[in-house]
């Protein structure tokens, strides 16, 4: 490989890893919810859209830097998820498994249509001065916005890891995931823990939406694009497997970037779906489902 080809390869690899980091952030929230509650949140992409529209609204109303919107979107996402779990999903009782599918599908429709009424159907974006700036290292150029998103992803996932493995709350979350009845007998309020977990999952989706906003357009049904990627990430890593979700996100990002550069950008989304189907056929528990510790 000549110098130009090597530079192009590493450029594509870095872009894929940074994009994959965002996929990992989205997938981590979904995987956390499944790992503890054993439900699949079909509204996950719509919660991401909420994060994007919060960023858009604050930018238009107050000219607030999009990354400062994290201070609003993250806690609002957590609060929204907590309330939904306590007052919607928790009421399903023994029907939580199948009922959660319909409930989250319904929530997704409510959210997307509410966004449609409030913001219209036209794609919208924000313009910040540093959006066109790039950071160059060793011949590889990276968008500043994408680099910030990558750093934000690392910080968010690291913070979650600290909570899960260094705090009493994390110990309660892991106990609830492994044995809810045993956790109850030890004094853990599992209903509250499940609400906290759902809140964290929604918060992660909202954070991902904020980090994506300076990079992309948003529209009311934008979440549909990302809920598919979240499912691919969680299946690649193994449902409920948080380290696996991170690796799955990185793998998906690299596969998409490499396929788009070396084959065709027109089929960018198809490359991940092909890998998704292969994993389902050959290793349905996920690439790391049995080898990496779950929540």
């Amino acid at each position: 490989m000549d110098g130009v080809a090597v530079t192009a390869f590493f450029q594509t690899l870095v872009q894929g890893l940074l994009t994959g980091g965002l996929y990992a952030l989205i997938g981590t929230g979904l995987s956390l919810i499944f790992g503890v509650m054993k439900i699949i949140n079909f509204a996950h992409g719509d919660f991401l859209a909420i994060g994007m529209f919060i960023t858009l609204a604050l930018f238009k109303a107050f000219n607030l830097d999009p990354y400062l919107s994290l201070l609003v979107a993250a806690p609002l996402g957590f609060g929204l998820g907590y309330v939904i779990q306590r007052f919607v999903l928790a009421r399903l009782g023994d029907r939580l498994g199948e009922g959660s599918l319909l409930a989250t599908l319904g929530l997704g429709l409510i959210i997307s249509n509410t966004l449609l009424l409030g913001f219209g159907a036209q794609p919208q974006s924000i313009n910040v001065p540093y959006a066109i700036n790039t950071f160059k290292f060793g011949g590889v150029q990276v968008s500043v916005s994408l680099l910030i998103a990558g750093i934000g992803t690392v910080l968010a996932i690291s913070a979650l890891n600290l909570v899960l493995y260094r705090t009493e709350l994390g110990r309660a979350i892991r106990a609830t995931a492994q044995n809810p009845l045993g956790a109850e007998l030890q004094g853990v309020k599992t209903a509250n823990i499940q609400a906290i977990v759902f809140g964290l999952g929604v918060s992660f989706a909202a954070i991902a939406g904020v980090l994506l906003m300076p990079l992309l357009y948003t529209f009311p049904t934008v979440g549909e694009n990302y809920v598919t990627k979240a499912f691919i990430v969680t299946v690649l890593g193994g449902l409920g497997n948080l380290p696996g979700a991170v690796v799955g996100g990185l793998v998906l990002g690299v596969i998409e970037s490499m396929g788009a550069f070396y084959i065709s950008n027109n089929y960018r989304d198809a490359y991940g779906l092909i890998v998704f189907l292969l994993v389902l056929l050959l290793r349905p528990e996920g690439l790391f489902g049995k080898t990496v510790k779950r929540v």
Side-chain angles (χ1 to χ4, degrees):
M1 295 174 68
D2 58 30
V4 174
V6 170
T7 301
F9 172 81
F10 281 105
Q11 176 80 45
T12 306
L13 178 63
V14 171
Q15 293 279 356
L17 288 172
L18 290 173
T19 303
L22 284 169
Y23 294 163
L25 184 62
I26 301 167
T28 294
L30 187 67
S31 194
L32 176 65
I33 291 171
F34 183 86
V36 176
M37 301 174 61
K38 306 300 182 290
I39 65 171
I40 297 176
N41 176 20
F42 280 102
H44 200 67
D46 296 289
F47 293 126
L48 178 145
I50 288 176
M52 297 184 81
F53 275 100
I54 287 174
T55 308
L56 177 69
L58 291 174
F59 181 81
K60 287 189 171 182
F62 306 108
N63 199 32
L64 185 69
D65 185 275
Y67 299 113
L68 292 179
S69 300
L70 286 168
L71 300 174
V72 178
L76 277 180
F78 177 83
L80 178 62
Y82 188 95
V83 169
I84 287 173
Q85 166 58 26
R86 288 304 293 263
F87 298 102
V88 178
L89 299 179
R91 295 181 181 275
L92 296 174
D94 294 336
R95 298 168 296 166
L96 181 61
E98 64 274 14
S100 64
L101 302 181
L102 296 175
T104 54
L105 280 170
L107 284 169
L109 289 172
I110 291 170
I111 292 169
S112 60
N113 281 282
T114 301
L115 293 174
L116 179 63
L117 288 172
F119 294 92
Q122 294 301 315
Q124 301 180 66
S125 64
I126 58 178
N127 295 312
V128 288
Y130 49 80
I132 59 174
N133 294 344
T134 58
F135 177 81
K136 189 172 182 179
F137 179 77
V140 175
Q141 290 190 0
V142 180
S143 161
V144 169
S145 295
L146 186 58
L147 183 61
I148 293 173
I151 294 171
T153 295
V154 171
L155 292 175
I157 293 176
S158 298
L160 177 62
N161 189 68
L162 287 174
V163 169
L164 288 177
Y165 296 102
R166 295 290 186 272
T167 67
E168 287 297 325
L169 173 61
R171 199 169 288 112
I173 289 173
R174 288 184 285 121
T176 303
Q178 293 165 9
N179 188 338
L181 180 58
E184 283 277 2
L185 294 174
Q186 293 298 317
V188 176
K189 297 180 179 179
T190 57
N192 188 55
I193 292 298
Q194 288 179 345
I196 290 173
V197 165
F198 200 84
L200 286 172
V202 172
S203 182
F204 264 57
I207 290 170
V210 173
L211 295 176
L212 280 167
M213 193 63 228
L215 297 164
L216 302 170
Y217 288 91
T218 188
F219 46 93
T221 56
V222 68
E224 295 176 2
N225 300 334
Y226 289 97
V227 73
T228 302
K229 294 186 186 298
F231 286 132
I232 293 174
V233 167
T234 53
V235 169
L236 286 177
L239 284 169
N241 188 324
L242 296 187
V246 174
V247 177
L250 295 175
V251 169
L252 177 61
V254 170
I255 288 172
E256 286 187 351
S257 291
M258 290 293 181
F261 184 79
Y262 288 106
I263 303 175
S264 172
N265 192 48
N266 295 330
Y267 305 106
R268 187 183 187 95
D269 292 333
Y271 306 129
L273 288 173
I274 291 170
V275 174
F276 171 74
L277 292 174
L278 288 174
V279 170
L280 281 180
L281 288 172
L282 302 176
R283 192 174 171 83
E285 71 274 17
L287 296 175
F288 308 98
K290 291 185 178 179
T291 59
V292 181
K293 287 196 301 182
R294 293 172 180 267
V295 172

